[in-house]
Amino acid sequence: MKRQRREAVTMKTIRKVLDNLAAASSSSSSSSTSQPGNRELDIPETLQSEHFQLCKTVRHGFPFEPSALAFDPVQKILAIGTQSGALRLFGRPGVECFCQHDSGAAVIQLQFLINEGALVSALEDDTLHLWNLRQKRPAILHSLKFNRERITFCHLPFQSKWLYVGTEKGNIHIVNVESFTLSGYVIMWNKAIELSSKSHPGPVVHISDNPMDEGKLLIGYESGIVVLWDLKSKKADYRYTYDEAIHSVAWHHEGKQFICSHSDGTLTIWNVRSPARPIQTIVPHGKQIKDGKKPEPCKPILKVEYKTTRYGEPFIILSGGLAYDTVGRRPCLTVMHGKSTAVLEMDYSIVDFLTLCETPYSNDFQEPYAVVVLLEKDLVVIDLAQNGYPIFENPYPLNIHESPVTCCEYFADCPVDLIPALYSVGARQKRQGYSKKEWPISGGNWGVGTQSYPEIIITGHADGSIKFWDASAITLQVLYKLKTAKVFEKSRNKDDKPSTDIVDEDPYAIQMISWCPESRMLCVAGVSAHVIVYRFSKQEVTADVIPMLEVRLLYEINDLESPDIEQVPTPSGGPNSQPIVLQSHPSTSSSSSDGIRDNVPCLRVKSTPLKQSPGYQVELVTQLVWVSGEPPQQITSLAINSAYGLVVFGNCNGIAMVDYIQKTVLLNLGTVELYGSNDPYQRQPRSPRKTRQPSGAGLCDINETTVTTEDRCKSPTSGFTSPTSSDDEQSMNKFIEKVKSKGRKFSKAVATDLAKMSRKLSLPTELKPELVFTDVRDNSFSRSRSSSVTSIDKESREAISALHFCETFTRKPDISTSPCLWVGTTLGTVLVIVLNLPPGGDQRLLQPVIVSPSGTILRLKGAILRMAFLDTVGILIPPAFESWRETNVPDEKEDKERLKKRRPVSVSPSSSQEISENQYAVICSEKQAKVISLPSQNCIHKQNITETSFVLRGDVVSLNNGTCLACFCANGHIMTFSLPSLRPLLDVNYLPLTNMRIARTFCFTNNGQALYLVSPSEIQRITYSQETCENLQEMLGELFTPVETPEAPNRGFFKGLFGGGAQSLDREDLFGETVSGKAPRSLAQHIPGPGGIEGVKGAASGIAADLARARLALDERGQKLGEAEERTAAMLASADSLSKHAHEMMLKYKDKKWYQF
């Protein structure tokens, strides 16, 4: 025995040394280090560290917390600024761009340099930035930081390089946008207002030049004073005073009138030459003015625009101004056109709006055709040319947050027929009544996409809806929307809500999604402990009765003593304290004899026929029920397999498996019952006192023991037997009942409170703040995945955290693979359940699926997150699936082969001769990853991913014809490891975990793609593929395209003769340094921007990024050298020409006398 132990220790030491060598080496393990019988060392690994690079690709969705809006009428590009300093630029559908100010200060105003490919942004931290839009990734060229004054308003006249900047002190400074320097010309507030005025006019809220005279500047102050300033004479021509504060000002295009909006809900129209009083006062939403009395005050009109038409009445468009008595009225945009007034209600508060006009010139008839309205959570474009003012159908993916996103999944390289199929059924869901005109924001050009594989993103939402998105080639377009709440009865009012709800709001919220793209089978789990299986069909059907099952999952053995193997395990194979009740129909009893809710689901399934449109149609609804007054725990893991016809889910109580073809429950066990007699933990019945959790020392090594018992958990049709003795069962039941009766009241109250907290977090059980950030007592990091359990229970329950269907070796003696289910728990245990499936065809409908434990138990440190399987050459083995076919169109031939045979698992040709090392299981937990050889169950590679943090998401993905493990840690690191050797290939400190939204939605997929929800309304896509990073520049769209500026309006013969029409101004003479001098250096600081290096800023880090920078620098240097060489050649040619001409002149005149000249 001692000799065997010594040999085992020696083998372990050798294996560890080999692991370390493999991890340290940048290439795959060489054959020289492999030992006889260790075939895993011979597997060639194609992925190397140079194949990986991390960078952001695109951001989709509505800009979170928008604050500013601008539009280039020539380029037809829209810009939106946000309160977090972000910039979103939109061109034609599919052309979008995201930029970020480093300071993160809110954007207060945006100004396009119209048709120049540049944009000026003014920020709340009193900085101005000039963005270069002539490159695919816009960058800042210049910045100007004001030190002594706060910026409140900016104005840049069309085709001018001088930017007017108004400040909080009431002064106006002028900035040269070419050099981004201040002019010495300043309009001081005390010179603009009357000398007799004793009060400060307030901040500048408006600046604009007279459309017909560029030398006249209209300045609006917050207090209600408006000044017409003569730039040449440097004095005020007219001053207009009103009692109410001003919010905005707009010119009539002829420059003879302007309109102001005020804080009391009035509009005043002024004649430029009549400053005494307005020529007209309008109260759009107030009562009529009588006998000259002041109108009844209304809410402030925040903005007004005055747009003229050549053959009709002008448009006056305004936001706000509603009467104060309109309680509960939604925000409105008002369009006044002649005698008609249209009030357009909006779903959210109006942030800003812009009127789109046919001409960029302010001194011509504007001819408005649309209004862009930026709302707090939406972007609406209104067609002004059609009756009724219909809205345009928005082609951008801005409705991601229509209902809050609760979960997200990403699938790359899907079947090619999948997107057309989803689009065809989704096209029928489109609303009617949109404008028939084309989308007016049509600038830019699409990029040249090199990615040809289909990509699909699925988002689950708080209202129970699921959206499928086409994400191919860095674009995003909604394909299809599924409403899962249609399956359930809805309460008409709050009083009618069922008392069985475990969440106060959003009981239909989607928590987890499991999808098989090949078969199109979809399975979703919701917060009310419900699971729905959907089948895809192109035919409309009506379900007379919705198939449903109710599952009663119990958990009565809680506390863990120690994982020491030497301890005698407690009897764990027996049934729960009450017999398992499997219901295939709704329960009629809602409470037991003592008034405690029992056997009741949280939601009521519709009892009336359900009409189901083409698309995803309900196959089966499964709900967990209340147990003795305690609500069902939320689901923590979910998996579906179309080849087996099975769906499995688990929570902190246990696991349930359902046959959705026969509509029966196959397995319903507490987590502890999965261990059988092999349980390493000594668990005791529920008790208020809780012992310390294990340190995790016993979880690190692989347990190679195998249970040989033939006890099985069969389907209900085949019977269920308990392997334990009746004495143990009776004593255990008595003890549990005693403890349960004492703790029932306490657990019931706390469970309800924690359920509410779980809803607020919108987190599907894997992460709870108190566990994520505080439970660091030991290295095991074993945390409960319970969502609504008592504080005493929740840290000790062993939840099901990962599920994976596969065809593999279930036990050590196996010589062939068989269908099975691998189960991972939060305590780092992996258990294997064998599936005995009946033959296909009619027998699959009649014979039961037999489920039995294999006895195989594997252990890792930390909760299990992901499991996958590789074949003998290291290629990822996909789960078996059944290809999709239309089930609602019966065919005699198809009926004979109703269920296709399971897809065979790819096995090496030599597997029939050599039965060892046929497959490799890849298991990733929160702390480490292991690769286990099957069927021997030897751990051949191990990698401790993190010691101080924990893994939030781990996925086994394919990239460049290779396979790797991709992980995202709570400390912000994104890492990839080769397979099967688990060599580190990439480790980038990308994004620290700042909120639970990122943890809930982060996911990797094939071909180096990943995404997460960066804000409640935006999806950020990233890539960890070097190839994608290199091709990204070509894939991105171009914002700026060369467009000829429209001709200026014709002044006409008589206007030119008699001095009418627009008056031009040479601003250089007024604002240039030679005339006005320099501004004080202390007033503002010029900061040069990094805009010269395009595209490199997007690369995250690594050698490839440095090479890209060096390559770009060399290109620029080479370009400059080339230009210098061309100039030198031109100078040489010029010198030769001059020499030739001089020689000719000399020959011509050398023989002439002086008097002959």
Side-chain angles (χ1 to χ4, degrees):
M1 288 295 293
K2 289 183 179 180
R3 183 181 177 184
Q4 289 178 353
R5 287 181 182 177
R6 200 178 302 115
E7 288 177 355
V9 170
T10 305
M11 288 301 295
K12 284 187 178 180
T13 306
I14 292 172
R15 189 176 290 124
K16 285 183 179 179
V17 171
L18 290 174
D19 286 348
N20 293 333
L21 287 172
S25 174
S26 60
S27 61
S28 60
S29 302
S30 62
S31 58
S32 60
T33 60
S34 63
Q35 296 182 2
N38 280 4
R39 294 177 53 208
E40 64 272 7
L41 299 177
D42 297 332
I43 297 176
E45 293 181 358
T46 58
L47 291 179
Q48 304 296 331
S49 58
E50 55 264 25
H51 292 128
F52 293 86
Q53 182 185 342
L54 193 69
C55 70
K56 295 180 180 178
T57 52
V58 287
R59 182 173 293 197
H60 302 297
F62 183 77
F64 184 58
E65 295 182 338
S67 57
L69 182 68
F71 182 71
D72 187 327
V74 179
Q75 286 288 319
K76 297 192 182 303
I77 297 172
L78 187 76
I80 297 176
T82 73
Q83 293 182 22
S84 59
L87 272 182
R88 292 287 297 279
L89 297 147
F90 297 91
R92 65 178 61 193
V95 178
E96 296 180 31
C97 185
F98 168 79
C99 312
Q100 177 68 49
H101 293 92
D102 292 337
S103 66
V107 180
I108 58 174
Q109 199 174 350
L110 296 171
Q111 286 274 317
F112 273 104
L113 277 68
I114 295 175
N115 206 26
E116 296 291 336
L119 176 73
V120 174
S121 59
L123 269 59
E124 200 173 38
D125 63 354
D126 308 310
T127 55
L128 296 172
H129 302 277
L130 178 65
W131 290 84
N132 177 18
L133 307 183
R134 289 176 178 252
Q135 55 193 51
K136 290 190 173 183
R137 290 205 164 184
I140 294 175
L141 293 173
H142 300 282
S143 297
L144 194 66
K145 168 72 174 173
F146 280 75
N147 297 322
R148 296 187 296 186
E149 298 192 49
R150 306 217 63 184
I151 299 171
T152 56
F153 194 87
C154 299
H155 171 63
L156 181 65
F158 178 41
Q159 295 182 324
S160 169
K161 68 175 185 178
W162 298 97
L163 174 73
Y164 301 105
V165 181
T167 68
E168 196 174 44
K169 289 184 177 179
N171 304 323
I172 294 178
H173 302 277
I174 299 166
V175 177
N176 185 332
V177 293
E178 290 180 351
S179 61
F180 240 56
T181 55
L182 274 176
S183 166
Y185 191 111
V186 182
I187 304 174
M188 305 298 290
W189 67 270
N190 53 355
K191 296 200 178 163
I193 66 171
E194 293 187 33
L195 296 175
S196 58
S197 177
K198 296 181 180 179
S199 60
H200 190 278
V204 175
V205 296
H206 178 82
I207 307 170
S208 62
D209 50 344
N210 189 315
M212 288 297 178
D213 190 351
E214 295 175 350
K216 308 292 184 182
L217 200 66
L218 196 68
I219 307 167
Y221 294 95
E222 190 180 62
S223 62
I225 299 173
V226 179
V227 177
L228 187 65
W229 181 265
D230 190 320
L231 291 169
K232 291 181 180 178
S233 63
K234 298 183 180 180
K235 65 178 183 180
D237 283 353
Y238 299 102
R239 297 180 178 92
Y240 315 86
T241 305
Y242 194 71
D243 295 339
E244 297 293 333
I246 289 177
H247 284 276
S248 70
V249 184
W251 279 102
H252 187 282
H253 86 275
E254 292 179 347
K256 296 177 182 178
Q257 292 180 352
F258 62 88
I259 187 170
C260 301
S261 70
H262 299 276
S263 58
D264 63 344
T266 59
L267 297 172
T268 54
I269 300 177
W270 300 79
N271 194 323
V272 171
R273 298 182 182 274
S274 304
R277 61 178 180 273
I279 58 172
Q280 188 178 1
T281 301
I282 306 170
V283 189
H285 297 284
K287 295 180 180 178
Q288 295 294 326
I289 303 172
K290 296 180 180 179
D291 303 328
K293 294 181 181 179
K294 289 198 72 173
E296 182 181 346
C298 295
K299 295 177 183 178
I301 296 177
L302 301 176
K303 186 173 182 179
V304 64
E305 291 203 343
Y306 199 4
K307 302 298 180 183
T308 55
T309 58
R310 192 176 299 274
Y311 303 109
E313 298 287 339
F315 283 87
I316 297 177
I317 305 169
L318 57 108
S319 63
L322 294 176
Y324 279 104
D325 58 359
T326 53
V327 180
R329 184 92 176 262
R330 292 194 293 180
C332 295
L333 185 82
T334 305
V335 181
M336 303 171 68
H337 185 219
K339 294 182 179 180
S340 69
T341 300
V343 181
L344 308 176
E345 289 191 342
M346 302 292 163
D347 292 332
Y348 307 101
S349 300
I350 297 174
V351 176
D352 198 0
F353 73 89
L354 288 172
T355 308
L356 309 188
C357 302
E358 296 288 353
T359 176
Y361 296 95
S362 59
N363 59 356
D364 195 9
F365 288 100
Q366 300 298 288
E367 303 294 347
Y369 59 89
V371 181
V372 178
V373 188
L374 178 63
L375 305 178
E376 196 176 29
K377 295 182 180 180
D378 201 1
L379 181 72
V380 176
V381 182
I382 300 165
D383 186 354
L384 291 178
Q386 291 188 33
N387 293 331
Y389 304 132
I391 65 171
F392 288 86
E393 184 178 7
N394 197 323
Y396 305 135
L398 300 183
N399 60 342
I400 292 173
H401 63 295
E402 186 178 17
S403 174
V405 177
T406 53
C407 65
C408 200
E409 293 295 337
Y410 191 7
F411 300 87
D413 208 5
C414 300
V416 292
D417 59 342
L418 196 51
I419 289 177
L422 289 168
Y423 182 81
S424 64
V425 294
R428 308 181 189 186
Q429 299 177 331
K430 290 190 176 181
R431 289 172 47 192
Q432 303 297 321
Y434 290 113
S435 170
K436 297 179 181 178
K437 293 188 176 181
E438 290 186 2
W439 183 249
I441 304 165
S442 56
N445 283 324
W446 293 304
V448 181
T450 56
Q451 290 180 208
S452 57
Y453 52 86
E455 298 174 75
I456 291 178
I457 295 172
I458 305 179
T459 53
H461 300 265
D463 64 352
S465 62
I466 294 173
K467 290 181 181 178
F468 292 79
W469 305 81
D470 178 6
S472 308
I474 68 171
T475 61
L476 194 70
Q477 180 183 6
V478 68
L479 292 171
Y480 172 70
K481 181 179 178 180
L482 171 66
K483 296 180 180 179
T484 64
K486 286 184 175 180
V487 177
F488 303 103
E489 299 280 0
K490 290 186 179 179
S491 54
R492 297 181 180 178
N493 51 55
K494 291 184 179 180
D495 298 332
D496 191 35
K497 286 185 68 174
S499 58
T500 54
D501 281 2
I502 57 174
V503 288
D504 288 341
E505 299 176 2
D506 303 326
Y508 313 110
I510 304 300
Q511 205 167 14
M512 308 191 85
I513 297 171
S514 179
W515 188 49
C516 176
E518 289 80 11
S519 66
R520 306 182 189 175
M521 291 298 298
L522 173 70
C523 186
V524 298
V527 294
S528 296
H530 62 277
V531 175
I532 310 177
V533 179
Y534 287 92
R535 190 184 293 275
F536 186 85
S537 174
K538 293 183 179 180
Q539 307 297 321
E540 183 178 293
V541 296
T542 300
D544 295 331
V545 178
I546 299 174
M548 68 164 292
L549 293 173
E550 291 178 359
V551 178
R552 182 181 175 93
L553 263 182
L554 300 182
Y555 188 97
E556 300 298 347
I557 301 175
N558 273 0
D559 293 348
L560 310 182
E561 293 294 340
S562 171
D564 295 339
I565 303 299
E566 285 77 16
Q567 290 185 346
V568 180
T570 59
S572 57
N576 297 312
S577 62
Q578 297 180 13
I580 297 173
V581 179
L582 306 179
Q583 295 183 337
S584 58
H585 54 83
S587 173
T588 55
S589 63
S590 61
S591 61
S592 59
S593 58
D594 56 354
I596 296 173
R597 286 191 290 270
D598 192 49
N599 283 348
V600 186
C602 299
L603 303 174
R604 290 196 296 265
V605 176
K606 281 185 177 178
S607 55
T608 56
L610 179 65
K611 183 180 179 182
Q612 302 191 80
S613 302
Y616 276 101
Q617 299 167 353
V618 179
E619 179 81 5
L620 177 66
V621 178
T622 306
Q623 294 191 84
L624 297 181
V625 297
W626 286 66
V627 178
S628 302
E630 290 194 12
Q633 306 305 310
Q634 290 183 358
I635 292 163
T636 59
S637 54
L638 179 71
I640 188 171
N641 188 281
S642 58
Y644 307 157
L646 303 177
V647 61
V648 61
F649 55 92
N651 61 10
C652 64
N653 282 343
I655 186 173
M657 187 186 296
V658 173
D659 181 344
Y660 64 79
I661 294 176
Q662 295 188 24
K663 310 294 188 293
T664 57
V665 179
L666 302 176
L667 183 70
N668 180 7
L669 289 176
T671 313
V672 66
E673 294 175 305
L674 290 172
Y675 288 92
S677 60
N678 228 22
D679 189 3
Y681 305 102
Q682 183 174 357
R683 308 175 197 246
Q684 306 220 347
R686 186 180 304 176
S687 164
R689 297 180 60 188
K690 180 183 180 302
T691 56
R692 180 178 175 83
Q693 277 198 345
S695 64
L699 301 179
C700 299
D701 300 323
I702 297 295
N703 178 15
E704 300 179 358
T705 58
T706 303
V707 177
T708 57
T709 177
E710 291 299 321
D711 299 330
R712 297 175 181 271
C713 297
K714 301 181 181 180
S715 71
T717 57
S718 61
F720 180 85
T721 59
S722 171
T724 59
S725 64
S726 59
D727 294 339
D728 290 339
E729 179 182 333
Q730 291 176 1
S731 60
M732 184 69 71
N733 285 343
K734 288 179 181 178
F735 186 82
I736 290 172
E737 283 298 327
K738 189 183 295 184
V739 175
K740 217 167 88 175
S741 63
K742 291 182 179 179
R744 183 173 288 149
K745 293 182 180 179
F746 172 76
S747 62
K748 177 182 171 185
V750 179
T752 306
D753 294 338
L754 285 166
K756 296 177 182 177
M757 181 180 69
S758 172
R759 162 65 192 93
K760 291 177 181 177
L761 290 173
S762 297
L763 191 64
T765 66
E766 271 85 5
L767 294 161
K768 299 296 175 209
E770 71 272 19
L771 299 178
V772 169
F773 297 108
T774 62
D775 189 3
V776 289
R777 297 167 306 186
D778 50 47
N779 291 331
S780 71
F781 229 97
S782 301
R783 299 193 302 278
S784 169
R785 295 304 199 260
S786 159
S787 61
S788 58
V789 294
T790 66
S791 57
I792 295 174
D793 284 343
K794 66 182 179 183
E795 291 187 8
S796 63
R797 292 197 180 187
E798 183 177 12
I800 307 298
S801 58
L803 297 164
H804 187 83
F805 285 105
C806 57
E807 290 196 22
T808 187
F809 302 95
T810 58
R811 301 178 181 89
K812 285 184 181 181
D814 286 355
I815 60 173
S816 62
T817 61
S818 59
C820 59
L821 171 70
W822 285 52
V823 181
T825 75
T826 53
L827 292 185
T829 304
V830 176
L831 305 111
V832 183
I833 297 174
V834 182
L835 308 175
N836 190 353
L837 300 167
D842 293 337
Q843 294 185 53
R844 176 63 182 88
L845 301 175
L846 301 174
Q847 295 184 18
V849 177
I850 299 175
V851 181
S852 61
S854 68
T856 299
I857 299 179
L858 310 171
R859 295 196 188 94
L860 278 76
K861 183 165 63 173
I864 305 299
L865 299 179
R866 191 72 56 194
M867 294 172 285
F869 294 86
L870 309 178
D871 63 10
T872 37
V873 293
I875 298 174
L876 184 65
I877 302 174
F881 62 85
E882 178 190 53
S883 298
W884 178 82
R885 64 183 185 84
E886 181 58 71
T887 56
N888 292 330
V889 181
D891 189 350
E892 291 182 3
K893 293 182 180 179
E894 288 184 355
D895 281 344
K896 293 180 181 178
E897 299 178 357
R898 184 165 182 179
L899 295 174
K900 296 182 179 180
K901 294 182 179 179
R902 297 188 304 275
R903 180 180 176 180
V905 178
S906 57
V907 181
S908 172
S910 61
S911 62
S912 59
Q913 299 172 3
E914 301 178 24
I915 62 170
S916 61
E917 321 297 353
N918 279 323
Q919 288 185 2
Y920 303 99
V922 182
I923 306 173
C924 177
S925 76
E926 291 176 322
K927 306 295 282 185
Q928 62 181 196
K930 287 186 178 182
V931 175
I932 295 160
S933 177
L934 299 176
S936 68
Q937 299 181 13
N938 293 323
C939 177
I940 60 171
H941 294 290
K942 184 174 82 171
Q943 179 67 246
N944 290 323
I945 300 171
T946 176
E947 293 293 338
T948 58
S949 184
F950 57 93
V951 179
L952 291 168
R953 177 83 183 209
D955 287 296
V956 177
V957 294
S958 298
L959 172 68
N960 292 354
N961 298 320
T963 308
C964 66
L965 171 65
C967 299
F968 173 55
C969 294
N971 59 9
H973 283 252
I974 290 179
M975 296 180 282
T976 60
F977 302 92
S978 68
L979 289 176
S981 68
L982 291 175
R983 283 181 299 109
L985 298 173
L986 175 76
D987 187 353
V988 176
N989 188 2
Y990 171 71
L991 178 75
L993 181 63
T994 53
N995 56 56
M996 307 310 294
R997 185 192 320 108
I998 298 172
R1000 189 181 67 244
T1001 57
F1002 199 103
C1003 50
F1004 297 96
T1005 189
N1006 295 329
N1007 298 328
Q1009 307 297 328
L1011 64 79
Y1012 60 94
L1013 212 66
V1014 69
S1015 75
S1017 59
E1018 294 170 288
I1019 288 176
Q1020 178 67 58
R1021 291 168 68 178
I1022 62 175
T1023 181
Y1024 49 95
S1025 163
Q1026 168 66 25
E1027 183 181 358
T1028 305
C1029 288
E1030 289 181 351
N1031 297 330
L1032 183 60
Q1033 196 69 11
E1034 296 180 5
M1035 296 166 63
L1036 294 173
E1038 291 185 65
L1039 286 168
F1040 179 81
T1041 52
V1043 178
E1044 194 171 331
T1045 304
E1047 290 186 7
N1050 191 0
R1051 292 176 64 187
F1053 174 75
F1054 290 103
K1055 285 185 178 180
L1057 184 65
F1058 297 107
Q1063 301 294 319
S1064 61
L1065 172 73
D1066 190 350
R1067 295 184 178 91
E1068 188 69 37
D1069 288 345
L1070 285 175
F1071 308 142
E1073 189 177 322
T1074 56
V1075 177
S1076 61
K1078 290 185 177 180
R1081 289 188 177 181
S1082 60
L1083 183 61
Q1085 176 188 0
H1086 175 261
I1087 305 168
I1093 301 179
E1094 174 189 356
V1096 177
K1097 191 177 179 183
S1101 62
I1103 298 172
D1106 295 334
L1107 287 173
R1109 294 188 186 94
R1111 192 185 304 125
L1112 182 59
L1114 284 172
D1115 290 344
E1116 290 180 353
R1117 184 182 177 193
Q1119 186 178 356
K1120 290 177 181 177
L1121 287 172
E1123 291 173 356
E1125 188 177 349
E1126 288 175 1
R1127 285 197 295 269
T1128 304
M1131 289 173 66
L1132 284 171
S1134 178
D1136 288 343
S1137 177
L1138 182 64
S1139 173
K1140 183 179 179 182
H1141 285 300
H1143 185 68
E1144 290 175 354
M1145 290 280 290
M1146 184 269 293
L1147 293 176
K1148 183 177 180 181
Y1149 294 109
K1150 74 172 183 176
D1151 295 329
K1152 290 189 178 183
K1153 304 297 181 181
W1154 62 270
Y1155 53 83
Q1156 292 178 325
F1157 283 97

